[in-house]
């Protein structure tokens, strides 16, 4: 593990100034090793900054986003993406979209496609949102001039009734048109008045993350002298260990913000 970390760290230090090494490429002496078990029964090993905060209370990155405390991505796939309610709206980016083709794709019924397709090029705003499960998604589309304070707009009641009849007829004639989760989502949206933007969206993270249910101490990544291992650790809000934990949390938040700034720069360049 130490050899792998040193190889990874040496490569990382090649791309950042030495002044930033303590924050983004620290010496291995700072890290503590844990063996953890996930709720899928998988067992893996993790590093934490110091040995005070257990991995079940830490936040681990999934790409650029921090997962809720104690969650970790696993290779298991736990079925389809569930729909989750949106609880917060964050950054947005504008993306130009071409006109939809006249001929429907293979998955679409021609009559439904005639209702859904856009015959002119347009642009949409795509938002990064936080879902009720605590995960972050960045594919929620809205009109360009929409703001979260505006709330969703509702379709005319007569139009909702017509759409309901059309969907019911479609489901009756094509029972496999939508899987159950999508069908129930459509029913909820119709019952809510067909709100735009949608108050819920798919979570692409939920099927791939697991909760840490048990952990075991392994020891420092770089073994320490026996005297150092038995030395009492200062306690309290301003102890070195407490300050290091706070610093580590701030580093995770800083990395998250840098990712968001990078996305903003990409949009501005476009």
């Amino acid at each position: 593990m130490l050899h792998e970390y040193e190889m990874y760290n040496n490569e990382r230090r090649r791309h950042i100034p030495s002044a930033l090494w303590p924050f983004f490429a620290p010496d291995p002496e700072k890290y503590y090793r844990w063996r953890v078990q996930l709720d899928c029964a998988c067992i893996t090993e993790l590093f934490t900054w110091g040995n005070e905060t257990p991995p079940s209370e830490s936040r681990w990155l999934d790409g650029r986003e921090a997962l809720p405390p104690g969650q970790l991505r696993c290779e298991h796939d736990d079925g389809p993406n569930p729909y989750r309610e949106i609880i917060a709206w964050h950054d947005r980016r504008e993306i130009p979209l071409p006109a939809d083709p006249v001929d429907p794709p293979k998955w679409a019924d021609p009559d439904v496609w005639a209702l859904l397709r856009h015959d002119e090029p347009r642009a949409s705003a795509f938002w990064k949102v936080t879902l009720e499960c605590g995960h972050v998604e960045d594919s929620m589309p809205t009109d360009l001039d929409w703001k979260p304070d505006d709330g969703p707009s509702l379709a005319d009641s007569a139009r909702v009734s017509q759409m309901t009849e059309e969907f019911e007829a479609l489901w009756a004639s094509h029972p496999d048109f939508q899987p159950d989760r999508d069908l129930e989502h459509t029913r909820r949206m119709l019952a809510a008045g067909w709100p735009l933007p949608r108050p819920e969206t798919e979570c692409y993270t939920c099927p791939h993350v697991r909760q840490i249910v048990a952990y075991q101490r392994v020891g420092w990544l770089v073994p320490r002298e026996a005297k150092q291992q038995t030395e009492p650790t200062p306690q309290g809000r301003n102890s070195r260990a407490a300050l290091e934990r706070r610093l580590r949390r701030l580093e995770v938040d800083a990395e998250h913000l840098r990712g968001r700034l990078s996305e903003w720069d990409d949009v501005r360049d476009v």
Side-chain angles (χ1 to χ4, degrees):
M1 295 296 295
L2 176 59
H3 177 66
E4 290 182 5
Y5 178 81
E6 288 176 335
M7 292 182 59
Y8 169 75
N9 220 26
N10 289 337
E11 177 65 22
R12 184 164 49 176
R13 288 183 173 186
R14 292 174 52 193
H15 303 287
I16 61 176
S18 59
L20 297 179
W21 288 1
F23 302 100
F24 301 105
D27 293 330
E29 288 81 2
K30 300 290 186 181
Y31 283 105
Y32 194 80
R33 296 171 59 189
W34 306 80
R35 185 175 294 109
V36 301
Q37 181 176 354
L38 308 180
D39 59 11
C40 58
C42 288
I43 295 176
T44 187
E45 189 167 303
L46 297 172
F47 299 155
T48 58
W49 183 270
N51 65 343
E52 295 297 321
T53 303
S56 58
E57 298 177 13
S58 301
R59 299 192 69 182
W60 305 95
L61 290 177
D62 181 34
R64 291 182 175 179
E65 303 297 338
L67 295 170
Q71 289 190 5
L72 193 68
R73 175 170 281 267
C74 186
E75 294 303 320
H76 285 98
D77 187 342
D78 193 20
N81 307 319
Y83 284 93
R84 305 294 192 199
E85 182 182 352
I86 297 171
I87 61 173
W89 298 77
H90 306 295
D91 301 334
R92 68 188 287 276
R93 66 190 190 279
E94 296 181 9
I95 298 180
L97 301 171
D100 294 325
V102 175
D103 295 331
K106 293 181 179 180
W107 55 264
D109 181 87
D111 293 335
V112 175
W113 182 248
L115 296 173
L116 298 178
R117 70 176 293 269
H118 296 83
D119 56 5
E120 296 289 342
R122 77 280 187 197
S124 290
F126 285 79
W127 293 77
K128 181 174 290 186
V129 296
T130 298
L131 308 181
E132 59 182 315
C133 53
H135 301 144
V136 176
E137 299 292 343
D138 63 354
S139 59
M140 191 62 189
T142 71
D143 293 335
L144 293 181
D145 57 354
W146 183 85
K147 303 181 297 298
D149 290 342
D150 297 339
S153 61
L154 302 180
D156 179 81
S157 58
R159 176 58 178 153
V160 173
S161 297
Q162 179 186 357
M163 293 175 62
T164 301
E165 292 178 2
E166 292 172 350
F167 270 110
E168 292 292 350
L170 178 62
W171 292 326
S173 60
H174 298 78
D176 298 329
F177 174 69
Q178 287 182 305
D180 289 344
R181 66 185 183 90
D182 292 338
L183 186 150
E184 293 304 320
H185 166 71
T186 303
R187 289 189 186 278
R188 288 193 297 271
M189 296 304 99
L190 289 169
W194 204 249
L196 292 174
R198 300 284 182 254
E200 63 181 38
T201 188
E202 289 180 278
C203 180
Y204 295 91
T205 304
C206 273
H208 307 286
V209 296
R210 296 293 184 272
Q211 193 74 33
I212 295 174
V213 296
Y215 60 84
Q216 180 184 42
R217 292 179 180 271
V218 177
W220 292 98
L221 182 57
V222 177
R224 300 190 175 187
E225 297 295 334
K227 181 179 179 180
Q228 291 176 310
Q229 291 177 341
T230 58
E231 193 174 52
T233 302
Q235 301 296 321
R237 178 179 176 83
N238 294 319
S239 69
R240 180 178 181 81
L243 292 175
E244 286 182 342
R245 290 200 302 272
R246 291 174 59 192
L247 177 60
R248 183 57 177 166
R249 294 190 189 100
L250 290 173
E251 288 171 353
V252 172
D253 290 340
E255 184 68 16
H256 170 65
L257 291 174
R258 286 188 180 89
R260 293 172 63 183
L261 285 173
S262 176
E263 293 175 354
W264 175 262
D265 290 339
D266 292 342
V267 173
R268 184 181 59 185
D269 291 341
V270 173

